Protein backbone atom coordinates (compact mmCIF):
# COMPACT_ATOMS: atom_id res chain seq x y z
CA UNK A 1 0.00 0.00 0.00
CA UNK A 2 1.06 3.58 -0.54
CA UNK A 3 1.70 5.99 2.29
CA UNK A 4 4.31 6.12 5.01
CA UNK A 5 2.16 7.72 7.72
CA UNK A 6 -1.29 7.84 9.25
CA UNK A 7 -2.53 11.39 9.90
CA UNK A 8 -4.52 11.74 13.12
CA UNK A 9 -6.68 14.84 13.38
CA UNK A 10 -7.30 15.52 17.07
CA UNK A 11 -9.92 18.25 17.44
CA UNK A 12 -10.04 19.01 21.16
CA UNK A 13 -11.88 21.47 23.37
CA UNK A 14 -9.15 24.11 23.46
CA UNK A 15 -6.95 23.29 20.47
CA UNK A 16 -6.78 21.47 17.16
CA UNK A 17 -3.85 19.15 16.52
CA UNK A 18 -2.53 16.90 13.82
CA UNK A 19 0.00 14.14 14.47
CA UNK A 20 1.61 11.91 11.85
CA UNK A 21 2.34 8.40 13.13
CA UNK A 22 4.54 5.69 11.65
CA UNK A 23 4.07 1.91 11.89
CA UNK A 24 5.75 1.73 15.31
CA UNK A 25 3.16 4.16 16.69
CA UNK A 26 5.79 6.89 16.94
CA UNK A 27 4.76 10.51 16.41
CA UNK A 28 7.02 11.78 13.62
CA UNK A 29 5.49 15.26 13.26
CA UNK A 30 2.87 17.27 15.08
CA UNK A 31 1.27 20.70 14.96
CA UNK A 32 -1.16 22.37 17.34
CA UNK A 33 -3.24 25.54 17.34
CA UNK A 34 -5.43 26.95 20.09
CA UNK A 35 -8.73 28.57 19.14
CA UNK A 36 -11.14 31.02 20.73
CA UNK A 37 -13.27 30.07 23.73
CA UNK A 38 -16.56 31.98 23.70
CA UNK A 39 -18.50 32.60 26.93
CA UNK A 40 -21.65 34.62 26.06
CA UNK A 41 -23.18 34.23 29.56
CA UNK A 42 -22.27 32.49 32.81
CA UNK A 43 -22.40 28.73 32.19
CA UNK A 44 -22.48 29.18 28.39
CA UNK A 45 -19.56 27.83 26.30
CA UNK A 46 -19.31 28.10 22.51
CA UNK A 47 -16.83 27.67 19.65
CA UNK A 48 -16.86 29.13 16.15
CA UNK A 49 -17.30 26.06 13.86
CA UNK A 50 -15.51 27.80 10.99
CA UNK A 51 -12.50 28.44 13.25
CA UNK A 52 -12.56 24.78 14.36
CA UNK A 53 -12.33 23.62 10.76
CA UNK A 54 -9.79 26.27 9.72
CA UNK A 55 -7.51 25.47 12.66
CA UNK A 56 -7.73 21.73 11.98
CA UNK A 57 -6.93 22.11 8.30
CA UNK A 58 -4.08 24.49 9.16
CA UNK A 59 -2.38 22.07 11.56
CA UNK A 60 -2.75 19.19 9.14
CA UNK A 61 -0.87 21.03 6.41
CA UNK A 62 1.69 22.22 8.99
CA UNK A 63 2.36 18.70 10.30
CA UNK A 64 2.74 17.39 6.78
CA UNK A 65 5.19 20.19 5.98
CA UNK A 66 7.22 19.40 9.12
CA UNK A 67 7.51 15.76 8.03
CA UNK A 68 8.21 16.74 4.42
CA UNK A 69 5.15 14.66 3.50
CA UNK A 70 2.97 15.02 0.43
CA UNK A 71 -0.60 13.73 0.23
CA UNK A 72 0.75 10.55 -1.38
CA UNK A 73 2.73 9.86 1.84
CA UNK A 74 -0.46 9.72 3.92
CA UNK A 75 -1.98 6.23 3.92
CA UNK A 76 -5.16 7.35 5.66
CA UNK A 77 -6.72 9.95 7.95
CA UNK A 78 -8.17 9.17 11.39
CA UNK A 79 -10.29 11.65 13.32
CA UNK A 80 -10.88 12.05 17.03
CA UNK A 81 -12.83 14.88 18.57
CA UNK A 82 -14.35 16.60 21.56
CA UNK A 83 -17.61 14.74 22.02
CA UNK A 84 -21.19 16.05 22.53
CA UNK A 85 -20.26 19.48 21.11
CA UNK A 86 -23.03 20.35 18.67
CA UNK A 87 -22.84 21.95 15.23
CA UNK A 88 -25.83 22.70 12.99
CA UNK A 89 -25.20 23.88 9.45
CA UNK A 90 -26.91 24.48 6.10
CA UNK A 91 -26.85 21.36 3.92
CA UNK A 92 -26.27 23.33 0.68
CA UNK A 93 -23.92 26.12 1.74
CA UNK A 94 -22.12 24.45 4.65
CA UNK A 95 -22.61 27.64 6.69
CA UNK A 96 -23.31 27.07 10.42
CA UNK A 97 -26.60 28.54 11.66
CA UNK A 98 -25.11 29.17 15.12
CA UNK A 99 -21.86 28.73 17.03
CA UNK A 100 -20.97 25.22 18.16
CA UNK A 101 -22.46 24.63 21.62
CA UNK A 102 -19.67 22.97 23.61
CA UNK A 103 -20.09 19.88 25.79
CA UNK A 104 -19.28 21.99 28.87
CA UNK A 105 -22.20 24.38 28.24
CA UNK A 106 -24.96 24.33 30.87
CA UNK A 107 -27.59 26.48 29.12
CA UNK A 108 -30.01 23.57 28.74
CA UNK A 109 -30.03 22.46 32.39
CA UNK A 110 -33.68 23.54 32.66
CA UNK A 111 -34.58 21.18 29.79
CA UNK A 112 -33.10 18.32 31.80
CA UNK A 113 -35.21 19.31 34.82
CA UNK A 114 -38.31 19.28 32.59
CA UNK A 115 -37.30 15.94 31.05
CA UNK A 116 -37.15 14.36 34.49
CA UNK A 117 -40.58 15.77 35.39
CA UNK A 118 -41.88 14.26 32.14
CA UNK A 119 -40.71 10.83 33.36
CA UNK A 120 -38.16 10.36 30.55
CA UNK A 121 -35.09 9.63 32.68
CA UNK A 122 -35.47 5.84 32.81
CA UNK A 123 -36.21 5.56 29.08
CA UNK A 124 -33.09 7.56 28.26
CA UNK A 125 -30.92 5.52 30.62
CA UNK A 126 -32.19 2.20 29.27
CA UNK A 127 -31.84 3.13 25.59
CA UNK A 128 -28.72 5.34 25.55
CA UNK A 129 -26.78 4.29 28.67
CA UNK A 130 -26.58 7.96 29.67
CA UNK A 131 -27.74 9.84 32.74
CA UNK A 132 -29.76 12.80 31.39
CA UNK A 133 -27.65 15.94 31.52
CA UNK A 134 -27.06 19.19 29.62
CA UNK A 135 -23.64 17.69 28.78
CA UNK A 136 -25.07 15.69 25.86
CA UNK A 137 -26.05 16.83 22.38
CA UNK A 138 -29.84 16.35 22.26
CA UNK A 139 -30.84 19.41 24.29
CA UNK A 140 -28.21 21.51 22.50
CA UNK A 141 -29.76 20.66 19.12
CA UNK A 142 -33.21 21.47 20.47
CA UNK A 143 -31.96 24.78 21.87
CA UNK A 144 -30.60 25.83 18.46
CA UNK A 145 -33.84 24.84 16.69
CA UNK A 146 -35.90 26.70 19.29
CA UNK A 147 -33.78 29.88 19.50
CA UNK A 148 -32.26 30.55 16.07
CA UNK A 149 -34.87 32.32 13.91
CA UNK A 150 -36.13 30.06 11.13
CA UNK A 151 -33.94 27.10 12.15
CA UNK A 152 -36.77 24.72 13.02
CA UNK A 153 -38.62 25.39 9.77
CA UNK A 154 -35.42 24.89 7.75
CA UNK A 155 -34.68 21.66 9.64
CA UNK A 156 -38.17 20.32 8.95
CA UNK A 157 -37.66 21.06 5.24
CA UNK A 158 -34.48 18.95 5.33
CA UNK A 159 -32.17 21.95 4.81
CA UNK A 160 -30.05 21.58 7.97
CA UNK A 161 -27.48 19.05 9.15
CA UNK A 162 -26.53 18.25 12.72
CA UNK A 163 -23.20 16.77 13.61
CA UNK A 164 -20.76 16.31 16.43
CA UNK A 165 -17.34 17.71 15.54
CA UNK A 166 -16.22 14.55 13.70
CA UNK A 167 -19.16 14.93 11.31
CA UNK A 168 -18.37 18.60 10.79
CA UNK A 169 -14.72 17.85 9.94
CA UNK A 170 -15.59 14.99 7.59
CA UNK A 171 -18.18 17.19 5.85
CA UNK A 172 -15.53 19.84 5.24
CA UNK A 173 -12.76 17.40 4.30
CA UNK A 174 -15.02 15.80 1.68
CA UNK A 175 -16.37 19.15 0.47
CA UNK A 176 -19.89 18.33 1.64
CA UNK A 177 -20.11 14.93 -0.01
CA UNK A 178 -20.30 12.88 3.20
CA UNK A 179 -22.49 13.36 6.28
CA UNK A 180 -21.50 10.60 8.68
CA UNK A 181 -20.51 9.84 12.27
CA UNK A 182 -19.36 6.75 14.15
CA UNK A 183 -21.06 4.72 16.90
CA UNK A 184 -18.97 6.25 19.71
CA UNK A 185 -19.93 9.82 18.88
CA UNK A 186 -23.55 8.90 18.17
CA UNK A 187 -23.73 7.24 21.59
CA UNK A 188 -23.03 10.62 23.25
CA UNK A 189 -25.98 12.50 21.74
CA UNK A 190 -28.72 11.11 24.06
CA UNK A 191 -30.56 10.15 20.87
CA UNK A 192 -28.88 6.83 20.04
CA UNK A 193 -29.95 3.34 21.08
CA UNK A 194 -26.68 1.65 22.06
CA UNK A 195 -28.26 -1.81 21.99
CA UNK A 196 -29.84 -1.67 18.51
CA UNK A 197 -27.08 0.72 17.25
CA UNK A 198 -29.48 3.17 15.61
CA UNK A 199 -31.11 6.56 16.15
CA UNK A 200 -34.05 6.21 18.53
CA UNK A 201 -37.36 7.31 17.00
CA UNK A 202 -39.09 7.90 20.35
CA UNK A 203 -36.32 10.15 21.66
CA UNK A 204 -36.24 12.13 18.40
CA UNK A 205 -39.98 12.74 18.78
CA UNK A 206 -39.60 13.82 22.41
CA UNK A 207 -36.85 16.35 21.60
CA UNK A 208 -38.64 17.35 18.37
CA UNK A 209 -35.56 16.79 16.21
CA UNK A 210 -36.10 15.86 12.53
CA UNK A 211 -34.27 12.64 11.66
CA UNK A 212 -33.22 14.17 8.33
CA UNK A 213 -30.69 16.33 10.23
CA UNK A 214 -28.77 13.34 11.54
CA UNK A 215 -25.64 11.78 10.03
CA UNK A 216 -25.37 8.17 8.89
CA UNK A 217 -23.78 6.07 11.66
CA UNK A 218 -20.91 3.73 10.74
CA UNK A 219 -18.22 1.75 12.56
CA UNK A 220 -15.17 3.43 14.04
CA UNK A 221 -12.79 1.72 11.61
CA UNK A 222 -14.08 1.84 8.03
CA UNK A 223 -13.98 3.97 4.89
CA UNK A 224 -16.05 7.12 5.36
CA UNK A 225 -14.98 8.95 2.23
CA UNK A 226 -12.01 10.81 0.79
CA UNK A 227 -10.47 14.14 1.72
CA UNK A 228 -10.83 16.29 -1.39
CA UNK A 229 -7.87 16.68 -3.73
CA UNK A 230 -8.64 20.42 -3.70
CA UNK A 231 -7.42 20.55 -0.09
CA UNK A 232 -4.21 18.51 -0.15
CA UNK A 233 -3.30 17.89 -3.81
CA UNK A 234 -4.83 14.43 -4.08
CA UNK A 235 -7.50 12.39 -2.37
CA UNK A 236 -6.71 10.71 0.96
CA UNK A 237 -9.02 8.05 2.45
CA UNK A 238 -10.69 8.85 5.80
CA UNK A 239 -10.86 5.44 7.47
CA UNK A 240 -11.17 5.97 11.23
CA UNK A 241 -13.16 8.10 13.65
CA UNK A 242 -13.98 7.95 17.34
CA UNK A 243 -14.86 10.30 20.15
CA UNK A 244 -11.75 11.37 22.04
CA UNK A 245 -12.17 9.16 25.09
CA UNK A 246 -13.02 5.98 23.19
CA UNK A 247 -10.07 6.77 20.91
CA UNK A 248 -7.80 7.07 23.97
CA UNK A 249 -9.09 3.73 25.33
CA UNK A 250 -8.16 2.15 21.98
CA UNK A 251 -4.83 4.00 21.85
CA UNK A 252 -3.96 2.63 25.31
CA UNK A 253 -4.59 -0.87 23.90
CA UNK A 254 -7.36 -1.45 26.45
CA UNK A 255 -9.12 -4.09 24.35
CA UNK A 256 -10.16 -6.52 27.07
CA UNK A 257 -12.87 -6.35 29.73
CA UNK A 258 -11.56 -4.81 32.95
CA UNK A 259 -8.78 -2.69 31.39
CA UNK A 260 -8.95 0.96 32.52
CA UNK A 261 -7.48 4.25 31.36
CA UNK A 262 -7.80 7.87 32.45
CA UNK A 263 -7.18 10.88 30.23
CA UNK A 264 -6.19 14.15 31.87
CA UNK A 265 -7.35 16.73 29.35
CA UNK A 266 -9.65 19.73 29.55
CA UNK A 267 -11.75 17.35 31.62
CA UNK A 268 -10.87 13.95 33.09
CA UNK A 269 -12.34 10.87 31.48
CA UNK A 270 -12.03 7.43 33.01
CA UNK A 271 -13.10 4.44 30.90
CA UNK A 272 -13.22 0.75 31.73
CA UNK A 273 -13.62 -1.66 28.83
CA UNK A 274 -16.45 -4.13 29.55
CA UNK A 275 -16.16 -6.24 26.38
CA UNK A 276 -19.44 -7.19 24.72
CA UNK A 277 -21.26 -6.76 28.04
CA UNK A 278 -23.31 -3.58 28.37
CA UNK A 279 -23.18 -2.84 32.13
CA UNK A 280 -25.67 -0.44 33.62
CA UNK A 281 -24.12 1.72 36.34
CA UNK A 282 -25.79 2.11 39.71
CA UNK A 283 -23.20 4.61 40.96
CA UNK A 284 -23.43 7.63 38.67
CA UNK A 285 -21.37 6.37 35.72
CA UNK A 286 -22.33 6.17 32.05
CA UNK A 287 -22.57 3.15 29.79
CA UNK A 288 -21.14 3.95 26.40
CA UNK A 289 -20.09 2.30 23.14
CA UNK A 290 -16.37 1.55 22.86
CA UNK A 291 -14.59 1.84 19.52
CA UNK A 292 -14.79 -1.54 17.84
CA UNK A 293 -13.34 -2.91 14.63
CA UNK A 294 -15.38 -6.09 14.09
CA UNK A 295 -19.04 -6.89 13.66
CA UNK A 296 -19.83 -7.24 17.36
CA UNK A 297 -20.37 -4.14 19.45
CA UNK A 298 -18.15 -3.46 22.47
CA UNK A 299 -18.91 -1.30 25.48
CA UNK A 300 -17.33 0.67 28.31
CA UNK A 301 -18.22 2.24 31.64
CA UNK A 302 -17.27 5.91 31.76
CA UNK A 303 -16.89 8.55 34.39
CA UNK A 304 -16.64 12.15 33.21
CA UNK A 305 -15.11 15.10 35.08
CA UNK A 306 -16.02 18.37 33.39
CA UNK A 307 -13.07 20.48 34.55
CA UNK A 308 -9.52 19.18 35.02
CA UNK A 309 -6.85 20.78 32.83
CA UNK A 310 -9.31 23.61 32.23
CA UNK A 311 -8.76 24.60 35.88
CA UNK A 312 -5.04 25.02 35.14
CA UNK A 313 -5.98 27.26 32.20
CA UNK A 314 -8.11 29.24 34.66
CA UNK A 315 -5.06 29.73 36.89
CA UNK A 316 -3.16 31.00 33.85
CA UNK A 317 -5.73 33.03 31.94
CA UNK A 318 -8.12 34.39 34.57
CA UNK A 319 -6.01 34.55 37.75
CA UNK A 320 -2.56 35.07 36.19
CA UNK A 321 -0.94 32.83 38.84
CA UNK A 322 1.11 30.91 36.26
CA UNK A 323 2.43 31.59 32.78
CA UNK A 324 2.44 27.99 31.54
CA UNK A 325 0.82 24.74 32.64
CA UNK A 326 4.29 23.22 33.05
CA UNK A 327 4.99 25.63 35.96
CA UNK A 328 2.40 23.89 38.12
CA UNK A 329 4.69 20.97 38.96
CA UNK A 330 7.35 23.26 40.48
CA UNK A 331 4.66 25.17 42.39
CA UNK A 332 3.32 21.92 43.86
CA UNK A 333 6.75 20.78 44.99
CA UNK A 334 7.61 24.09 46.67
CA UNK A 335 5.07 23.48 49.42
CA UNK A 336 4.64 20.32 51.53
CA UNK A 337 0.84 20.41 51.25
CA UNK A 338 -2.04 22.79 50.45
CA UNK A 339 -2.38 24.03 54.08
CA UNK A 340 -5.91 22.58 54.02
CA UNK A 341 -6.95 24.40 50.84
CA UNK A 342 -9.23 22.52 48.42
CA UNK A 343 -10.47 23.61 45.01
CA UNK A 344 -13.69 22.06 43.72
CA UNK A 345 -13.50 23.11 40.04
CA UNK A 346 -17.23 22.90 39.34
CA UNK A 347 -17.08 25.84 36.93
CA UNK A 348 -19.67 24.19 34.66
CA UNK A 349 -21.35 21.91 37.19
CA UNK A 350 -20.26 18.56 38.59
CA UNK A 351 -20.15 15.45 36.40
CA UNK A 352 -19.90 11.84 37.57
CA UNK A 353 -20.66 10.58 40.09
CA UNK A 354 -22.53 13.67 41.37
CA UNK A 355 -24.34 15.01 38.26
CA UNK A 356 -25.21 18.41 39.63
CA UNK A 357 -25.68 20.94 36.82
CA UNK A 358 -26.02 23.86 39.20
CA UNK A 359 -22.88 23.35 41.30
CA UNK A 360 -20.21 26.02 40.82
CA UNK A 361 -16.53 26.22 41.67
CA UNK A 362 -15.48 26.61 45.28
CA UNK A 363 -12.15 27.34 46.99
CA UNK A 364 -12.30 26.28 50.62
CA UNK A 365 -10.01 26.13 53.64
CA UNK A 366 -8.31 29.48 52.99
CA UNK A 367 -6.26 31.04 55.77
CA UNK A 368 -4.01 34.11 55.82
CA UNK A 369 -1.02 31.83 55.22
CA UNK A 370 -2.43 30.35 52.01
CA UNK A 371 -0.47 31.59 49.00
CA UNK A 372 -0.06 31.12 45.27
CA UNK A 373 1.65 27.73 45.49
CA UNK A 374 -1.00 26.33 47.83
CA UNK A 375 -3.79 27.34 45.44
CA UNK A 376 -1.92 25.92 42.44
CA UNK A 377 -1.29 22.66 44.31
CA UNK A 378 -4.96 22.45 45.35
CA UNK A 379 -5.91 22.86 41.68
CA UNK A 380 -3.61 20.04 40.56
CA UNK A 381 -4.72 17.79 43.41
CA UNK A 382 -8.38 18.36 42.47
CA UNK A 383 -7.78 16.34 39.29
CA UNK A 384 -6.61 13.33 41.32
CA UNK A 385 -9.48 13.59 43.80
CA UNK A 386 -12.07 13.65 41.02
CA UNK A 387 -10.48 10.61 39.36
CA UNK A 388 -10.52 8.80 42.70
CA UNK A 389 -14.28 9.44 42.99
CA UNK A 390 -14.76 7.83 39.56
CA UNK A 391 -12.55 4.82 40.34
CA UNK A 392 -14.46 4.04 43.54
CA UNK A 393 -17.80 4.22 41.67
CA UNK A 394 -16.40 2.00 38.90
CA UNK A 395 -15.17 -0.60 41.40
CA UNK A 396 -18.64 -0.75 42.94
CA UNK A 397 -20.33 -1.20 39.54
CA UNK A 398 -17.91 -3.78 38.18
CA UNK A 399 -17.08 -5.68 41.36
CA UNK A 400 -13.40 -5.37 40.42
CA UNK A 401 -10.63 -3.85 42.53
CA UNK A 402 -8.25 -1.54 40.68
CA UNK A 403 -4.63 -2.63 40.66
CA UNK A 404 -3.21 -0.38 37.93
CA UNK A 405 -4.40 2.67 36.03
CA UNK A 406 -3.12 3.61 32.56
CA UNK A 407 -2.96 7.36 32.07
CA UNK A 408 -2.51 9.81 29.23
CA UNK A 409 -3.34 13.36 28.18
CA UNK A 410 -1.41 16.60 28.59
CA UNK A 411 -1.42 16.72 32.39
CA UNK A 412 0.07 13.21 32.63
CA UNK A 413 3.42 14.90 31.96
CA UNK A 414 3.10 16.31 35.51
CA UNK A 415 4.87 13.74 37.69
CA UNK A 416 3.70 15.36 40.93
CA UNK A 417 0.11 14.78 39.80
CA UNK A 418 0.70 11.14 38.88
CA UNK A 419 2.48 10.35 42.17
CA UNK A 420 -0.33 12.05 44.10
CA UNK A 421 -2.84 10.07 42.03
CA UNK A 422 -1.11 6.79 42.93
CA UNK A 423 -1.01 7.80 46.61
CA UNK A 424 -4.67 8.80 46.79
CA UNK A 425 -5.80 5.66 44.91
CA UNK A 426 -3.37 3.26 46.63
CA UNK A 427 -2.75 1.76 43.18
CA UNK A 428 0.04 1.93 40.60
CA UNK A 429 -0.26 4.49 37.80
CA UNK A 430 1.25 3.54 34.43
CA UNK A 431 2.27 6.23 31.95
CA UNK A 432 3.08 4.99 28.44
CA UNK A 433 5.95 6.28 26.34
CA UNK A 434 3.44 7.93 24.01
CA UNK A 435 0.93 9.99 25.98
CA UNK A 436 -0.76 11.17 22.77
CA UNK A 437 -3.06 8.17 23.01
CA UNK A 438 -6.20 9.99 21.85
CA UNK A 439 -4.62 10.80 18.50
CA UNK A 440 -2.86 7.42 18.45
CA UNK A 441 -6.19 5.63 18.91
CA UNK A 442 -7.64 7.50 15.92
CA UNK A 443 -4.54 6.55 13.92
CA UNK A 444 -4.86 2.89 14.92
CA UNK A 445 -8.54 2.78 13.92
CA UNK A 446 -7.76 4.37 10.56
CA UNK A 447 -4.69 2.21 10.00
CA UNK A 448 -6.49 -1.06 10.72
CA UNK A 449 -9.15 -0.27 8.15
CA UNK A 450 -6.54 0.84 5.61
CA UNK A 451 -4.38 -2.24 6.13
CA UNK A 452 -1.52 -0.20 7.61
CA UNK A 453 -1.60 -2.43 10.71
CA UNK A 454 -2.64 -6.06 10.52
CA UNK A 455 -4.71 -6.50 13.69
CA UNK A 456 -5.01 -5.52 17.35
CA UNK A 457 -2.08 -7.68 18.37
CA UNK A 458 0.05 -5.89 15.80
CA UNK A 459 -0.66 -2.54 17.44
CA UNK A 460 -0.56 -3.88 21.01
CA UNK A 461 3.17 -4.53 20.46
CA UNK A 462 3.65 -0.76 20.09
CA UNK A 463 2.59 0.00 23.71
CA UNK A 464 5.63 0.85 25.86
CA UNK A 465 5.82 1.85 29.52
CA UNK A 466 7.52 5.15 30.25
CA UNK A 467 7.19 5.20 34.04
CA UNK A 468 5.30 3.51 36.85
CA UNK A 469 4.18 5.54 39.89
CA UNK A 470 3.84 3.38 43.00
CA UNK A 471 1.72 4.47 46.00
CA UNK A 472 3.81 5.71 48.93
CA UNK A 473 1.37 7.62 51.18
CA UNK A 474 0.42 6.35 54.63
CA UNK A 475 -3.21 5.12 54.80
CA UNK A 476 -4.13 7.61 57.56
CA UNK A 477 -2.96 10.55 55.44
CA UNK A 478 -4.87 9.29 52.40
CA UNK A 479 -8.10 9.01 54.40
CA UNK A 480 -7.57 12.44 55.95
CA UNK A 481 -7.07 14.08 52.53
CA UNK A 482 -10.07 12.31 51.01
CA UNK A 483 -12.20 13.34 53.97
CA UNK A 484 -11.30 16.98 53.36
CA UNK A 485 -12.14 16.62 49.67
CA UNK A 486 -15.55 15.15 50.47
CA UNK A 487 -16.33 18.08 52.78
CA UNK A 488 -15.33 20.54 50.05
CA UNK A 489 -17.59 18.83 47.47
CA UNK A 490 -20.46 18.76 49.97
CA UNK A 491 -20.00 22.51 50.47
CA UNK A 492 -20.16 23.17 46.72
CA UNK A 493 -23.34 21.10 46.39
CA UNK A 494 -24.90 22.79 49.45
CA UNK A 495 -24.18 26.21 47.90
CA UNK A 496 -25.91 25.10 44.66
CA UNK A 497 -28.88 23.67 46.55
CA UNK A 498 -29.30 26.87 48.56
CA UNK A 499 -29.21 28.93 45.37
CA UNK A 500 -31.92 26.67 43.90
CA UNK A 501 -33.98 26.91 47.09
CA UNK A 502 -33.59 23.22 47.82
Amino acid sequence: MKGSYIAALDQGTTSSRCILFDRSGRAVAKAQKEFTQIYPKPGYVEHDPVELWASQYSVMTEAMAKAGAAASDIAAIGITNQRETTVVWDRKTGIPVYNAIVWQCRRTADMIDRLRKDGMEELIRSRTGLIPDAYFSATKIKWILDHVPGARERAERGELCFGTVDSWLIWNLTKGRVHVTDHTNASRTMLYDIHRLCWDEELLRYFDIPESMLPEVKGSSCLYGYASSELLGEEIPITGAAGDQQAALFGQCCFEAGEIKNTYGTGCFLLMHTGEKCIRSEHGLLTTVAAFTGERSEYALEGSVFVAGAAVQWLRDELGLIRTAAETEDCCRRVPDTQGVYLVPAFTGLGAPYWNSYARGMLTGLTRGAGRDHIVRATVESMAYQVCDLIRAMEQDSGLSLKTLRVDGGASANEFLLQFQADILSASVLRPLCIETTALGAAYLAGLSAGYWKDREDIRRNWELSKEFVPAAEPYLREELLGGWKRAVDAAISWANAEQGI
Side-chain angles (χ1 to χ4, degrees), residues 227-417:
S228 171
S229 58
E230 296 173 43
L231 296 172
L232 299 163
E234 63 178 86
E235 290 188 337
I236 303 174
I238 305 167
T239 57
D244 51 10
Q245 301 317 313
Q246 287 97 333
L249 189 69
F250 203 85
Q252 283 276 31
C253 299
C254 293
F255 304 141
E256 305 296 329
E259 294 182 321
I260 305 178
K261 72 88 198 171
N262 183 63
T263 297
Y264 301 92
T266 300
C268 269
F269 300 91
L270 185 81
L271 272 74
M272 173 189 281
H273 204 289
T274 61
E276 295 176 21
K277 189 175 182 182
C278 190
I279 297 175
R280 172 171 170 146
S281 173
E282 300 301 330
H283 297 91
L285 303 177
L286 308 176
T287 305
T288 197
V289 179
F292 58 93
T293 56
E295 294 300 316
R296 294 185 175 182
S297 52
E298 297 175 25
Y299 297 94
L301 279 174
E302 175 175 335
S304 307
V305 168
F306 295 153
V307 174
V312 174
Q313 286 184 313
W314 170 72
L315 293 177
R316 182 192 68 186
D317 299 340
E318 272 68 49
L319 298 190
L321 294 184
I322 56 172
R323 287 173 296 179
T324 67
E327 287 179 38
T328 59
E329 185 165 354
D330 287 339
C331 292
C332 291
R333 295 190 188 283
R334 278 199 293 265
V335 289
D337 52 41
T338 67
Q339 276 201 355
V341 175
Y342 288 87
L343 173 70
V344 181
F347 302 146
T348 55
L350 283 170
Y354 305 103
W355 295 107
N356 190 314
S357 293
Y358 299 102
R360 290 295 177 263
M362 181 166 289
L363 195 61
T364 65
L366 290 170
T367 64
R368 180 64 182 82
R372 166 181 176 263
D373 292 340
H374 299 104
I375 293 171
V376 171
R377 179 162 171 157
T379 302
V380 171
E381 288 185 358
S382 73
M383 297 188 220
Y385 287 127
Q386 291 177 101
V387 169
C388 189
D389 287 341
L390 299 181
I391 290 282
R392 298 301 172 239
M394 203 160 277
E395 287 178 329
Q396 289 176 298
D397 277 328
S398 67
L400 301 172
S401 181
L402 176 75
K403 296 294 187 290
T404 62
L405 174 67
R406 294 188 177 193
V407 297
D408 53 63
S412 64
N414 186 323
E415 297 201 346
F416 170 84
L417 168 63

Side-chain angles (χ1 to χ4, degrees), residues 137-153:
S137 309
T139 56
K140 302 179 195 303
I141 304 169
K142 179 173 172 55
W143 190 95
I144 290 174
L145 296 182
D146 289 345
H147 289 82
V148 175
R152 181 165 295 285
E153 293 74 17

